[in-house]
Amino acid sequence: MAEKKKVCIVGSGNWGSAIAKIVGYNAARLDIFDSRVTMYVYEEIINGRKLTEIINEDHENIKYLPGHKIPSNVVAIPDLVESSKDADILIFVVPHQFIKNQCEALCGKIKPTAVGLSLIKGFDRAEGGGIDLISHIIQRYLNIEVNVLMGANLAGEVADEKFCETTIGCRSKEWGSILKNLIETDNFKVVVIDDVDTVEVCGALKNIVACGAGFADGLGYGDNTKSAIIRLGLMEMIKFAQTFYKSSQLGTFYESCGVADLITTCYGGRNRKVSEAFVKTGKCIEDLEKEILNGQKLQGPITAEEVNHMLKIKNMENEFPLFTAVYKICHGDLKPQLFIDEIRNHPEHIVKFSNL
Ligand SMILES: NC(=O)C1=CN([C@@H]2O[C@H](COP(=O)(O)OP(=O)(O)OC[C@H]3O[C@@H](n4cnc5c(N)ncnc54)[C@H](O)[C@@H]3O)[C@@H](O)[C@H]2O)C=CC1
Ligand SMILES: O=C(CO)COP(=O)(O)O
């Protein structure tokens, strides 16, 4: 009999803890997985106790996902290498600003046959200039296959077991079905596709659009405006994918990682919420992140900066007015009150007759 696959979750924030609930449940009931799931926890002291102790004794991440039990077969470990060294499947789910440091620490310390699944939404700077997808960065540091999971998945709702869907972008059929088994439940349905990069591009870019939706909410615009932002944002996402990831398929945008995640984040996400408060209070984004999110991290403003870095290099800022306006507002170069003016004459607003 083949050896049972060991799973490690690298990360224990809001989404990391919600996915631990699912992975712990599936690992305990499915024969192909070792029932003991390790979870790397960035240690902190909460009410005088270590977070790892709280998770291992009370089976709850009281800081990042309060009110939800994490299965007792999920073991919290504060040492990154210790938690990951025996794993056959590494699930990466940390805010993207921390992934490079963690990859450096893991380099040469994991099983060479391990396979990764990245749930991380964002980009980072590429070494030779431009930007890179997080899964590519992990792949390069650790020299393992890295697949991705992105979808309309607000962590709290997933943890509440409210029905939703997700998309796994997978590089091989064999791993596609193993990862589907590991992740799927009756209330968390998985579609596996092979357009891996586009799945990840969708997950990263929608956070920029969500900031735009939040600015519009803060400025008092209504649902029609928000729909326009979602649509223009979607068109920029597609254009970005088709420009920089040539094999990108349009159909991927119809999966949960595409339109669905865009909608859910523009209505219910943290990026939207903090961006709305940014307009209403005039406080800076870093302060609001601390004030509103209690240690959780925003991805939208940093992603807007990374994407802008790429667009500037390519002299393409004008072709992506929504992404560019969100970046400028987050960066303090544009007043949020001018946001709608920046997208009023969008390149999408043209006569679109077919040739027939
Ligand atoms: N929360 C959500 O609803 C969803 C989040 N995601 C994505 O999942 C990824 C992870 O997000 P969350 O789990 O929500 O994290 P989070 O936003 O809850 O971030 C907090 C986590 O960061 C850790 N942390 C703080 N400082 C650190 C440091 N210096 N080094 C290492 N770790 C540190 C904390 O210990 C905690 O585990 C992000 O890319 C996010 O976009 C994807 C889908 C849903
Ligand atoms: O990615 C998410 C939902 O799919 C969460 O978005 P926020 O980070 O804006 O909360």
Side-chain angles (χ1 to χ4, degrees), residues 12-28:
S12 55
N14 189 231
W15 186 215
S17 303
I19 211 70
K21 234 187 119 174
I22 290 179
V23 168
Y25 167 75
N26 280 339

Side-chain angles (χ1 to χ4, degrees), residues 16-318:
S17 303
I19 211 70
K21 234 187 119 174
I22 290 179
V23 168
Y25 167 75
N26 280 339
R29 72 187 182 88
L30 298 175
D31 271 352
I32 58 163
F33 302 111
D34 190 324
S35 62
R36 181 177 186 269
V37 173
T38 54
M39 177 164 72
Y40 164 65
V41 174
Y42 181 77
E43 192 69 284
E44 40 191 310
I45 304 295
I46 297 164
N47 304 331
R49 290 173 76 199
K50 289 181 175 166
L51 182 56
T52 46
E53 264 172 38
I54 298 173
I55 295 173
N56 289 333
E57 288 166 15
D58 304 347
H59 307 293
E60 185 179 338
N61 187 339
I62 59 165
K63 177 156 182 191
Y64 295 106
L65 191 67
H68 291 279
K69 286 290 171 204
I70 293 174
S72 57
N73 55 315
V74 176
V75 181
I77 299 178
D79 184 307
L80 178 59
V81 173
E82 182 58 32
S83 66
S84 317
K85 67 181 187 340
D86 296 326
D88 301 293
I89 301 175
L90 287 158
I91 300 177
F92 294 95
V93 56
V94 294
H96 80 270
Q97 49 270 50
F98 306 126
I99 191 65
K100 269 188 178 162
N101 280 349
Q102 298 189 332
C103 284
E104 270 164 21
L106 286 178
C107 201
K109 307 272 174 51
I110 57 164
K111 275 188 169 179
T113 51
V115 161
L117 179 66
S118 174
L119 277 53
I120 301 173
K121 293 175 176 172
F123 293 97
D124 210 331
R125 294 289 162 100
E127 267 153 35
I131 55 173
D132 215 346
L133 288 167
I134 301 298
S135 70
H136 292 193
I137 291 169
I138 301 172
Q139 192 273 330
R140 236 190 349 269
Y141 272 95
L142 303 183
N143 198 23
I144 57 170
E145 172 184 319
V146 186
N147 304 295
V148 301
L149 178 151
M150 310 276 145
N153 303 142
L154 296 168
E157 293 184 21
V158 174
D160 280 339
E161 296 175 30
K162 291 178 175 157
F163 177 82
C164 67
E165 300 178 307
T166 200
T167 315
I168 289 182
C170 196
R171 300 182 193 278
S172 71
K173 264 196 183 154
E174 186 208 348
W175 275 100
S177 61
I178 295 170
L179 295 173
K180 183 172 165 71
N181 280 327
L182 180 62
I183 299 289
E184 189 161 75
T185 69
D186 284 349
N187 290 314
F188 194 66
K189 302 302 289 185
V190 176
V191 175
V192 184
I193 62 174
D194 62 3
D195 189 12
V196 187
D197 286 352
T198 312
V199 173
E200 192 173 356
V201 169
C202 284
L205 293 179
K206 63 87 194 175
N207 282 332
I208 306 179
V209 186
C211 293
F215 297 147
D217 285 342
L219 292 164
Y221 286 96
D223 287 339
N224 293 344
T225 309
K226 182 125 78 170
S227 293
I229 289 165
I230 290 174
R231 192 191 79 84
L232 292 171
L234 175 65
M235 298 313 275
E236 291 193 17
M237 285 167 59
I238 294 170
K239 185 170 179 171
F240 190 91
Q242 291 179 341
T243 305
F244 298 111
Y245 301 87
K246 293 289 180 203
S247 63
S248 178
Q249 292 161 32
L250 193 58
T252 302
F253 291 86
Y254 306 138
E255 299 293 344
S256 181
C257 62
V259 180
D261 196 9
L262 192 52
I263 294 170
T264 212
T265 315
C266 287
Y267 280 90
R270 301 168 295 187
N271 286 289
R272 187 219 67 82
K273 192 175 186 179
V274 172
S275 301
E276 179 185 31
F278 173 72
V279 175
K280 285 187 166 165
T281 64
K283 294 182 186 174
C284 74
I285 288 180
E286 293 74 28
D287 289 350
L288 289 167
E289 184 184 52
K290 288 196 189 95
E291 212 175 289
I292 299 176
L293 297 184
N294 187 34
Q296 292 181 39
K297 302 285 178 197
L298 282 183
Q299 309 301 306
I302 323 174
T303 306
E305 187 171 347
E306 282 144 3
V307 164
N308 184 263
H309 170 73
M310 185 73 166
L311 295 178
K312 248 193 206 120
I313 291 174
K314 303 283 178 190
N315 201 17
M316 292 178 83
E317 281 178 288
N318 291 342

